Amino acid sequence: MPFEIATITNLFRNNLRNKIILGFSLILCSVMGFFTYYQTIRQIKFYTAEQESRALKVSNIVMRSIEYPMLDGEMEYVQKILEDLNEAEELHRIILCDRNGIIKHAGNADLIGSSINSEITKRSLRSKSLVNGFEYYGKEKVISYAMPIRNEKACNKCHGTERNMLGVLSVGISWLPTEKRIIALRNREIVVTLILIGAAGFFLTLWLSHYITRPISRLTSMADLASHGKSAIQFGKTIKCWEELDCNKTECPAYGGTDMPCWFVQNTLCRSKHSEKFPEKLEECIKCEIYKKYSGDEITRLSDSFKHMLYSLNQFEMELIISERKYRDLFNADPNPIFIVDGGTFAILDVNETAQGYYGYSREEFLQKSFFDLSNIAYKDIIDDFASIKKGKTLLYLKRQHCRKDNGFFYVNIHVRPAEYMKQNALIITTSDVTESVEKEAQLIQAGKMSALGTMASGIAHELNQPLNVIKVGSDFFIKMIGRGESIDKETFRSMAEEMSRYVDRASEIINHMREFARSSDATRSEVNINKPIADVFKVLKQQLILHQIDIELDLAKNLPPILADHNRLEQVFINLITNARDALEERGKTWKKILKVRTFTEDKQVVAIVSDNGKGIPADIIDKIFEPFLTTKEIGTGTGLGLSISYEIVKDYEGEIIVESKEDVGTSFKVTFPAI
C-alpha cells in the first residue's frame, strides 16, 4: 500500500499534464458537486412544497367528500368513504377524531376507538388550527395535514352550540415515492457530472498534450541534452522571411538562414532600417507580418527563445573552443617554462610543453607536485613572498637552483605574478634558464678572485713571513744551544715550542683561508652573519693596510640578524671594496692621514655594511658608470675594471643593493644592504 501511494504521488508530482488535469478535475468536481448539492436541495424543497400542497388538496377533497354525509348524520357512509380513500397508494392514513383525540372514523377500521398518536394532530387539537409537517410511523416518513372540523350552524342540531371545534381530520401522505424521485434525480446529476468530468478530462488531456505538455516535454528533453553538452539540436519551425516578403537584400544576416527566427538575428536590414540586438529589436519586429504570423503563443515563444539560447550557447562554445585553442597554442609556444600554481597550496595546476621538455616530467607528473618540489633547496624567502603576494605585484628571483627529473640541476630566474585561474587565486610563474650565464659569471668571479689574490700577494707574504721568522728564530736558537752543548731549561723550551706551534697554526690558517677563498663557489644561499666575511678579509689585508699607514676603524654591530648569501662570495665583495679604498687612499700621498672605516648595523629590517675612506674620490663624470665591467680609474696594467662589476652582481644575486657616494678629494663611501631574515 505505501508503494502504491508513493507511485500515485510521483505520477502527479513529476508530470505537468497530470497536475493540470488533477487541478482542473478538482475544480470541476467542486463546482459540479456544489451545483448537484444545490440542485438536490432545490428539488427537495420543490417536492416537499408539492407534496404539502398535494396533501392539503387531498385533505380538502376528503373534507368535502365527508362534509354532507356528516351533516346528514350518515356516519357509516363517512366511514365507507374514508376506507375507499385509504386504498389510494400514496395515502398512508386518514383519521377522523373527536376533540378528545379519540379516533371515531379511519381508513383503517382497526384504529377506531383508539387514541391518536400523531403529534401533528395533537397540535391541531390544541391550537384549533391547520397544522402540517413530517412524521415517522415506524421507519416510514409521512407528510401529515391536520385540519380542524368547526362546529357550524348545520351541526348545531346534533352537537349544540357550546363547542367551537368538533374534532380533527388528519391525512398522511407517504414521502417514500418523493424520496425515490429525489434520489433518482441526485444519482442522475452525479452520473452527468462524472460523464462531464470524464469528457472534459479527456479533451483537456488531448488539448494539453498538443499545445502545452508535449512542447514543454520536448523543451525539457532538449534542455537535458544541452545540459550534457549537446547544444547543436535542430527543432522548431523553419522561417524563410525573405521569400514571404519578397526581399532581395542578400547582405542581410537573416537572408538564407533557417537556424533562427529572424527577430533573434542581430543587425537585420528589415524595413530599410538596421535593427539592434535581441530583445531591443522587438520594438520593430512586432510590427512585422512575419512576426505576427509565426511568433505564436507563450509556449511557441518560449520554444523559440530556448532555440535562440541553444544557438547562442553553441556559438559561445565554439568561441570558447577557439579561444582555448589560441590560449593553449600561445601557452605552449612560449620558449620559457610556464607554471600555473595554486595561490594557497602552491600545487601545480597547469604547465606548458616547454616546461615538460626542460624538466623531463609529463604533465600528469607535474600536476602531482608542488612548485617547490622542483628545487632541492628550501627557499624560505620565496615561500613567504608567495604567501603574501598582492594583486598587481610582480616578483623576480635570480639564479635559483632547480632540478630535472634525472636529478640534474640548473639555474633559473623566476618571475611571479598573481592571477585568477578557473575562478580561484593562482600564480603565473615563468622560469628562464640562466645556467650558462651563471657558469660564465662564476668563471668571471673566479678570475676576480685570482686577481684579488694577486693584489693581496704582498700582504699574504708579510702575514706568512712573521710566523716563518718566529719559527726561524726558534730553530736557530735550538741549533745554537745544541752546538754549544748547553742545555735548555724546560720552561724556556716549552715557551719557545708553544710560540713556534702557534705561529705554525697561524700560517696554516692563512694558507687554508687562501685556499678556501680561491676555490670556485656556486650561487648557493645559507644563513650568514655579515660580520664574519668582513673579519676574514681583515685577517688577510690588515697587515697590508698597516704597512700602507692606513688607520682602520671597525664598528661591527653585535647580534646582527643573519642574511641569505654565500660567505665566500661576500668576502670577495668586501675584498674588492677594501682594496679599492686602499688604492684611493694611496693616491692622496704619504703625508695624508689615511682612514678606512667599516661599519655594520640594521636599518628598516635590512642589514647594512658601509665601507668608507677619505681618499681621492671618484670623478663625477664616471660615478654613474662605476659598476660597469672593465671601467677603471687606475693606470693601465694595474686594474681589470671587474672588481666592482662582480661585486654588484653578487650583491644583486642575494636581493641586496649597493650604493656609492663620492666626492673628489673628500672620499668615497659604499653602502651595501641585504634583507634580514
Side-chain angles (χ1 to χ4, degrees), residues 452 455-456 541 544-545 574-584 634:
T455 303
M456 296 185 297
L541 295 181
Q544 188 179 112
L545 296 173
F574 289 109
I575 285 176
N576 289 333
L577 296 179
I578 291 171
T579 54
N580 282 347
R582 180 202 64 189
D583 295 340
K634 300 176 184 178

Side-chain angles (χ1 to χ4, degrees), residues 455-483:
T455 303
M456 296 185 297
S458 59
I460 295 171
H462 181 83
E463 288 292 326
L464 290 176
N465 277 337
Q466 187 176 1
L468 290 175
N469 286 337
V470 172
I471 295 171
K472 177 65 175 173
V473 170
S475 61
D476 287 345
F477 173 74
F478 290 146
I479 293 172
K480 186 175 181 180
M481 293 299 289
I482 292 171

Side-chain angles (χ1 to χ4, degrees), residues 590-607:
K590 296 183 179 180
T591 59
W592 186 258
K593 182 174 176 58
K594 307 167 189 176
I595 302 174
L596 172 65
K597 297 180 181 180
V598 179
R599 185 163 68 98
T600 60
F601 56 94
T602 57
E603 181 181 68
D604 296 331
K605 298 182 180 180
Q606 301 280 319
V607 175

Side-chain angles (χ1 to χ4, degrees), residues 610-662:
I610 298 179
V611 179
S612 59
D613 63 76
N614 60 344
K616 185 178 180 180
I618 302 172
D621 58 336
I622 66 168
I623 193 167
D624 293 336
K625 304 176 183 178
I626 195 68
F627 295 114
E628 293 181 3
F630 306 110
L631 177 68
T632 180
T633 58
K634 300 176 184 178
E635 297 179 0
I636 297 175
T638 59
T640 62
L642 291 175
L644 287 179
S645 175
I646 292 172
S647 298
Y648 180 85
E649 291 300 325
I650 292 174
V651 172
K652 286 295 181 184
D653 284 348
Y654 301 127
E655 282 78 43
E657 185 178 16
I658 181 168
I659 301 173
V660 58
E661 294 180 0
S662 183

Side-chain angles (χ1 to χ4, degrees), residues 494-560:
R494 170 181 284 181
S495 176
M496 293 190 67
E498 288 178 351
E499 189 70 8
M500 291 171 66
S501 176
R502 186 169 65 85
Y503 276 95
V504 168
D505 290 341
R506 180 181 174 186
S508 176
E509 182 181 346
I510 293 171
I511 293 170
N512 288 335
H513 183 260
M514 289 301 98
R515 183 186 296 115
E516 181 67 21
F517 177 74
R519 72 173 178 82
S520 177
S521 60
D522 296 325
T524 56
R525 297 162 185 258
S526 59
E527 294 187 6
V528 178
N529 186 324
I530 200 171
N531 288 340
K532 292 185 177 180
I534 293 174
D536 286 344
V537 170
F538 280 101
K539 286 181 181 179
V540 178
L541 295 181
K542 183 177 180 180
Q543 191 61 37
Q544 188 179 112
L545 296 173
I546 292 173
L547 290 176
H548 286 80
Q549 299 179 344
I550 297 174
D551 292 341
I552 302 171
E553 296 182 6
L554 289 180
D555 183 11
L556 306 182
K558 296 181 180 180
N559 301 320
L560 286 176

Side-chain angles (χ1 to χ4, degrees), residues 3-272:
F3 175 76
E4 295 177 357
I5 294 175
T7 302
I8 295 173
T9 302
N10 291 331
L11 182 64
F12 288 102
R13 180 186 299 164
N14 302 327
N15 192 297
L16 177 62
R17 182 184 64 187
N18 292 345
K19 287 181 180 178
I20 295 176
I21 293 174
L22 176 63
F24 182 81
S25 299
L26 290 175
I27 294 172
L28 189 60
C29 285
S30 299
V31 173
M32 295 298 292
F34 176 77
F35 178 76
T36 302
Y37 174 77
Y38 176 74
Q39 283 293 98
T40 302
I41 296 299
R42 284 189 59 190
Q43 292 294 333
I44 291 173
K45 289 182 178 180
F46 172 76
Y47 284 118
T48 300
E50 186 182 60
Q51 287 297 86
E52 288 177 349
S53 176
R54 191 159 177 263
L56 180 59
K57 290 178 181 180
V58 171
S59 298
N60 287 329
I61 291 172
V62 172
M63 180 61 73
R64 292 192 195 100
S65 299
I66 65 174
E67 181 179 5
Y68 292 106
M70 284 193 303
L71 291 175
D72 294 337
E74 297 177 359
M75 301 310 295
E76 293 180 1
Y77 185 63
V78 170
Q79 177 63 33
K80 180 71 169 71
I81 292 172
L82 294 180
E83 289 178 358
D84 291 340
L85 291 173
N86 195 56
E87 296 296 326
E89 182 179 356
E90 292 184 4
L91 286 176
H92 184 269
R93 60 181 173 77
I94 301 175
I95 296 173
L96 185 63
C97 66
D98 62 14
R99 68 178 184 277
N100 297 318
I102 303 300
I103 299 174
K104 295 298 183 178
H105 301 281
N108 184 0
D110 296 337
L111 298 177
I112 296 173
S114 62
S115 299
I116 61 170
N117 57 2
S118 169
E119 287 296 326
I120 290 176
T121 304
K122 292 178 181 179
R123 281 162 49 195
S124 180
L125 286 172
R126 288 193 297 270
S127 64
K128 300 178 182 181
S129 61
L130 178 66
V131 178
N132 68 300
F134 287 99
E135 290 184 312
Y136 282 93
Y137 288 92
K139 295 182 178 181
E140 186 172 358
K141 187 177 182 181
V142 176
I143 183 169
S144 298
Y145 260 86
M147 183 181 298
I149 300 174
R150 306 294 179 183
N151 187 8
E152 299 177 358
K153 291 181 180 181
C155 302
N156 290 340
K157 62 181 180 178
C158 294
H159 298 284
T161 60
E162 292 83 7
R163 303 182 185 89
N164 293 328
M165 188 178 71
L166 302 176
V168 172
L169 173 64
S170 179
V171 178
I173 298 176
S174 176
W175 181 252
L176 182 61
T178 303
E179 189 174 29
K180 289 181 179 179
R181 285 197 295 272
I182 292 173
I183 292 174
L185 176 65
R186 182 190 62 192
N187 293 339
R188 185 184 65 188
E189 294 287 347
I190 292 174
V191 171
V192 170
T193 300
L194 293 176
I195 292 173
L196 289 175
I197 291 174
F202 175 74
F203 289 108
L204 179 64
T205 301
L206 295 179
W207 184 83
L208 289 174
S209 297
H210 187 269
Y211 292 103
I212 297 179
T213 57
R214 189 180 300 167
I216 291 178
S217 296
R218 186 163 57 248
L219 288 177
T220 303
S221 299
M222 289 184 290
D224 290 338
L225 291 174
S227 67
H228 288 82
K230 299 178 181 179
S231 57
I233 306 169
Q234 297 297 327
F235 68 96
K237 54 186 173 293
T238 300
I239 302 174
K240 298 181 180 180
C241 60
W242 64 93
E243 291 183 357
E244 298 196 28
L245 295 176
D246 195 21
C247 175
N248 59 359
K249 295 179 180 179
T250 57
E251 69 275 17
C252 177
Y255 191 94
T258 58
D259 291 335
M260 292 300 305
C262 55
W263 52 86
F264 287 110
V265 181
Q266 65 184 29
N267 301 325
T268 52
L269 304 179
C270 296
R271 300 177 183 272
S272 301

